[in-house]
Amino acid sequence: MANDAQDLPRVAGNGLLDRRLFMRTLALGAVGTATAGVSLADPVSKGQPEWMLAPGATTEDYGTPSHYEMARTRRWTVPPAGQTATGRSIVAFTPHHQLHGTLTPNGLHFEVNHHGIPDIDPDQHELIIHGMVRQPIKFNVAALANYPTETHNYFLECSGNSGRLWADKPTPANLDITHGLLSGSEWTGVPLATLLDEAGLQPGAKWIIAEGADSGSVSRSVPMDKAMGDAMIALYQNGERLRPGQGYPMRLFNPGFEGNTSIKWVRSIRVTDRPAMTRFETRTYTDLMPDGKALQFSLGMDVKSVITRPSNSTVLPKKGVYEVTGIAWSGNGRITRVEVSADGGVTWADAALQGPVLPIMLTRFRIPWQWDGGPAVLQSRAYDEAGRIQPSRADLIAARGTHGNYHFNGIHSWGVGEDGGIAHVYA
Ligand SMILES: Nc1nc2c(c(=O)[nH]1)N[C@H]1C(S)=C(S)[C@@H](COP(=O)(O)O)O[C@H]1N2
Ligand SMILES: [Mo]
């Protein structure tokens, strides 16, 4: 079925094809795609499948995915025997190698729970805003629901996402483990500025300290320009109330900042003139530099991308044309460009960006690629509207060393072997 398709316009080395030449052309038979449907001599169906022979099931109160899809679930870190969820952080990963589009289904949103998930009664939960304000105020869910809300699509990324890519050796782990502390959602909530305005900031108020209602009271300090900027108290996620793992019934959401600052189950926002130096801004979520000094309050998530398909969870079955697709994102704003390389970064071609391209949100990119059966190294490189470019791993390490655990945003490489096998490599 596959032909050599030598006439297809090549835009970079090792088989990258023009991004405008999409699967419509390819699937229509200009070339055989490696994955196209089988043509039938007699396309008329013979008989009916079993599920057509009797009426199907009724519906459910709350819909769930097909039972055939139950392998597409989050992997999560089970606490070691003898430790409870609250004795150790539990981390659940979004399986990006199994997903498409840009919105993460709520049941597959990643989770980082340092002290388990509290079971909060929404009728009893309160958020208090106090400290350097003219008048402390508190809100329950019903009171907050009376304020004007805003809805935005935003990604959320733990700064520990991709942390294992700082290691000397590539990893056999799948994309959930390496890039799954990242999700994209539509968030609806009340701008924090509205609430801070109502409380009235005192002169000299420069930071807020947000505290969660989990047993460890996870707390972070957030600079006032963020608090008075695009920060929100989120109540809804993709149209439904927040899931318990996302902070039900309310969370602070700081778009583009490291995930840890978006305090879940938020119960207190204290306005201050200085940061609190909490555990999560001293012991963790700081970046150890080559000179042994630690960078604190490295809050912004920089520009980054990764190819989600193909990935090391699949094997290329045969030579032919494949769609290479992935996601790009930046805490600085919109993604402006994503380039893909099939020859380990020697040559690059522009991928198509799926619109609308929204600021501080996952952006899907695609490019057709003709695999000729030889070795290849697939990479993606993202650019954002702040002029930031995703660095090579070597450049990132030259600047930052390898002592740190957080904020890895280097270019990611998939090595494709002659057998069609795919592995994470350092190129
Ligand atoms: N109260 C509280 N807020 C929290 C956490 C927590 O354990 N407790 N985890 C933080 C971390 S480390 C991250 S990366 C994000 C993850 O948000 P998610 O679990 O909704 O994906 O929430 C942050 N907010
Ligand atoms: Mo995190």
Side-chain angles (χ1 to χ4, degrees), residues 39-267:
S39 34
L40 293 178
D42 174 11
V44 179
S45 159
K46 301 227 169 44
Q48 289 175 325
E50 203 187 322
W51 47 83
M52 292 183 72
L53 301 179
T58 55
T59 195
E60 297 170 288
D61 289 340
Y62 199 100
T64 47
S66 160
H67 66 90
Y68 292 107
E69 294 297 317
M70 284 317 197
R72 293 172 202 274
T73 52
R74 293 183 299 198
R75 281 198 268 188
W76 53 285
T77 52
V78 182
Q83 288 192 30
T84 59
T86 48
R88 197 187 148 100
S89 308
I90 298 222
V91 173
F93 302 92
T94 298
H96 287 291
H97 55 302
Q98 298 173 332
L99 299 177
H100 277 282
T102 54
L103 290 169
T104 306
N106 287 346
L108 296 178
H109 198 285
F110 84 96
E111 284 180 21
V112 179
N113 301 315
H114 291 294
H115 306 275
I117 302 172
D119 181 13
I120 297 181
D121 176 348
D123 295 332
Q124 290 184 45
H125 181 82
E126 283 176 339
L127 166 62
I128 169 161
I129 298 184
H130 58 131
M132 293 176 66
V133 293
R134 280 199 292 280
Q135 172 200 322
I137 35 180
K138 64 183 181 187
F139 306 89
N140 58 19
V141 179
L144 268 184
N146 288 328
Y147 284 81
T149 56
E150 284 186 6
T151 296
H152 299 277
N153 287 16
Y154 290 132
F155 76 82
L156 183 66
E157 184 181 19
C158 176
S159 51
N161 193 34
S162 316
R164 71 175 60 200
L165 305 185
W166 290 110
D168 313 338
K169 293 210 170 64
T171 172
N174 290 147
L175 211 52
D176 50 351
I177 305 296
T178 62
H179 288 78
L181 298 183
L182 163 78
S183 302
S185 296
E186 185 197 79
W187 298 95
T188 297
V190 180
L192 180 56
T194 308
L195 307 177
L196 290 173
D197 274 341
E198 186 169 329
L201 297 178
Q202 287 181 7
K206 291 207 179 76
W207 291 76
I208 61 159
I209 300 160
E211 180 189 286
D214 41 350
S215 63
S217 307
V218 171
S219 306
R220 282 297 300 257
S221 313
V222 178
M224 190 57 79
D225 56 350
K226 189 66 170 178
M228 289 299 284
D230 57 3
M232 65 157 84
I233 303 296
L235 299 166
Y236 294 86
Q237 159 188 12
N238 294 328
E240 64 179 6
R241 291 275 183 191
L242 300 185
R243 292 284 173 102
Q246 266 64 64
Y248 181 86
M250 57 180 76
R251 85 179 299 165
L252 175 61
F253 196 98
N254 292 311
F257 270 23
E258 65 182 3
N260 187 260
T261 66
S262 285
I263 295 295
K264 302 192 277 191
W265 316 293
V266 63
R267 67 189 287 269

Side-chain angles (χ1 to χ4, degrees), residues 269-336:
I269 289 182
R270 186 155 63 88
V271 177
T272 65
D273 58 356
R274 72 197 74 175
M277 302 296 172
T278 68
R279 171 185 161 201
F280 288 103
E281 54 209 26
T282 52
R283 178 186 161 276
T284 44
Y285 297 109
T286 61
D287 302 299
L288 197 53
M289 293 289 114
D291 65 2
K293 290 189 181 157
L295 208 64
Q296 262 191 296
F297 301 109
S298 45
L299 300 175
M301 300 306 296
D302 208 351
V303 62
K304 186 167 167 183
S305 69
V306 69
I307 293 169
T308 58
R309 198 181 73 161
S311 81
N312 63 351
S313 67
T314 52
V315 171
L316 301 184
K318 56 185 168 185
K319 294 186 214 179
V321 177
Y322 290 87
E323 180 186 78
V324 173
T325 181
I327 43 177
W329 64 100
S330 169
N332 306 316
R334 285 182 186 78
I335 291 296
T336 50

Side-chain angles (χ1 to χ4, degrees), residues 9-48:
R10 271 144 215 284
V11 286
N14 212 4
L16 283 172
L17 304 176
D18 192 289
R19 67 187 185 279
R20 285 165 290 247
L21 180 81
F22 263 122
M23 292 302 168
R24 188 212 286 264
T25 330
L26 299 173
L28 281 176
V31 292
T33 70
T35 48
V38 178
S39 34
L40 293 178
D42 174 11
V44 179
S45 159
K46 301 227 169 44
Q48 289 175 325

